[in-house]
Amino acid sequence: MPHATIRDIAREAAVSVATVSRAMNGHSNVRPELRAHIESVATRLGYVPHAAARHLSSARSGMIGVVVPDLHGEFFSELLRGMDREASERGLYCMMMVMHGDAQRGVAALHAMRGRVDGLVVMAPQVSADELLAHLPRDMPAVLLNCAPGQPGRAELRIDNVAGASAVVEHLIASGRRRLVHIAGPAGNIDADERLRGAQDACARAGLSLRVLPGDFREPSGAAAAATLIAEGIDIDAIFAANDMMAIGAMMAFRRAGIMVPDRIAIAGFDDIPLTRLISPSLTSASIDIASFGASAVARLVKAIAGDDDGSIEQRVPVVMVRESTGPARTDHTLSNVHNNTPEQSGKGEYS
């Protein structure tokens, strides 16, 4: 029977509509044998519960809102994959809105979702709390992912960017690298700022200097940073990029220039997107298990919606996944002498 309703089930099972409703919703005041009979009839008729109607009785929509800064790149596809998987397993649906780095779009998203979702996951590392989170209704359950401080009592998931970046740089130093460059993320972005600080801290502890080049988390900016180094002929032996896409962009630029990774320069990134394991050489990266991070956000939100979350901050410490791109340093080649072959030129652009 197409589009069978509970009235069809009630008629076929010779019971009232109210009895069918109680049985289908798991109420305890229905005899087990009668419940089994009703469920058997429902299965035979091909009855499919209507999600909206099911949630109506609980005054919930069964929908959760997700606000993210961007959709570009594998990081966000993995994050949303984890969120969607966890939501699906819990019988929930996701409504997503993208800020594109614009705080006003984020505020509009919060207003648009109010009354339509049971709770929100908000990821906004690039805007201040005053610009966005001040507009988040206090009665709206929410989980914040790497957002600016300023919402005490809200459930938060944070990546320990400082610890992760420090661990990557310490790995590079332990492998024999001494002349390091960091390709930074966009200024004002919490993740980028913390990863820069972690890299600087690790170099300071080792008594090493760190050159910083600008980036924006996208592959072309990594390639541009590498092009700058190649043009200057600076003698470096390692790059730590603030995310994997910039590291991959730099690696491709060096490959086109005939500069071997890791023989002449080691490269590492951050996030551990799936592509890091597929390229050659495979990329060393600080892993946060992105899909799991997204799933954890949804799990925390479900608790917040139920009133069971304590509003604590959950910190995820990245693990350095060592791969081919940070193999041992070679002492017979440097970046500078690839492009400056005469003895007089070999010291040009000395690292400082």
Side-chain angles (χ1 to χ4, degrees), residues 199-282:
Q200 290 172 327
D201 289 349
C203 284
R205 287 193 296 270
L208 300 174
S209 58
L210 177 71
R211 179 177 180 183
V212 180
L213 294 177
D216 61 8
F217 280 156
R218 302 200 177 203
E219 181 185 340
S221 67
T228 295
L229 295 170
I230 292 168
E232 294 178 356
I234 294 176
D235 179 14
I236 68 166
D237 58 14
I239 287 178
F240 165 50
N243 79 341
D244 293 332
M245 292 310 298
M246 294 193 299
I248 291 169
M251 188 185 298
M252 295 303 102
F254 285 129
R255 174 179 290 180
R256 288 190 292 269
I259 299 168
M260 301 301 293
V261 175
D263 288 357
R264 295 170 184 164
I265 185 166
I267 298 180
F270 201 112
D271 291 335
D272 196 32
I273 61 175
L275 188 58
T276 60
R277 302 181 286 280
L278 302 177
I279 59 174
S280 180
S282 55

Side-chain angles (χ1 to χ4, degrees), residues 32-184:
E33 60 272 19
L34 180 56
R35 186 191 310 279
H37 172 60
I38 292 171
E39 290 175 348
S40 175
V41 171
T43 300
R44 176 160 52 82
L45 296 180
Y47 172 72
V48 178
H50 191 280
R54 184 175 66 246
H55 290 288
L56 191 59
S57 61
S58 64
R60 292 180 183 164
S61 66
M63 188 86 67
I64 60 173
V66 178
V67 180
V68 292
D70 202 348
L71 285 182
H72 181 81
E74 284 194 327
F75 176 89
F76 290 106
S77 65
E78 280 294 288
L79 183 76
L80 295 172
R81 183 175 70 85
M83 289 183 180
D84 180 67
R85 181 186 65 206
E86 184 71 18
S88 296
E89 289 177 357
R90 295 172 179 269
L92 301 172
Y93 299 90
C94 292
M95 179 186 294
M96 183 186 67
M97 298 192 78
V98 184
M99 294 176 57
H100 298 295
D102 183 349
Q104 289 306 309
R105 285 182 63 93
V107 172
L110 297 183
H111 291 321
M113 288 187 176
R114 187 171 188 178
R116 302 173 66 186
V117 299
D118 299 325
L120 286 168
V121 175
V122 180
M123 185 176 199
Q126 81 286 16
V127 298
S128 70
D130 290 341
E131 289 178 297
L132 180 65
L133 300 182
H135 298 270
L136 185 60
R138 291 303 309 177
D139 60 349
M140 172 68 77
V143 173
L144 310 181
L145 303 186
N146 277 32
C147 290
Q151 284 279 303
R154 294 282 192 186
E156 292 189 53
L157 271 67
R158 291 190 172 278
I159 300 167
D160 193 338
N161 290 298
V162 174
S166 290
V168 172
V169 171
E170 287 168 358
H171 161 68
L172 292 171
I173 294 170
S175 69
R177 314 291 172 162
R178 294 294 180 271
R179 299 175 299 281
L180 282 70
V181 167
H182 177 57
I183 306 176

Side-chain angles (χ1 to χ4, degrees), residues 1-58:
M1 177 183 293
H3 306 298
T5 67
I6 61 172
R7 287 185 172 79
D8 298 320
I9 299 170
R11 183 173 57 253
E12 192 76 11
V15 297
S16 69
V17 170
T19 299
V20 173
S21 179
R22 289 196 301 271
M24 300 300 289
N25 284 288
H27 291 196
S28 59
N29 59 346
V30 180
R31 300 191 316 276
E33 60 272 19
L34 180 56
R35 186 191 310 279
H37 172 60
I38 292 171
E39 290 175 348
S40 175
V41 171
T43 300
R44 176 160 52 82
L45 296 180
Y47 172 72
V48 178
H50 191 280
R54 184 175 66 246
H55 290 288
L56 191 59
S57 61
S58 64

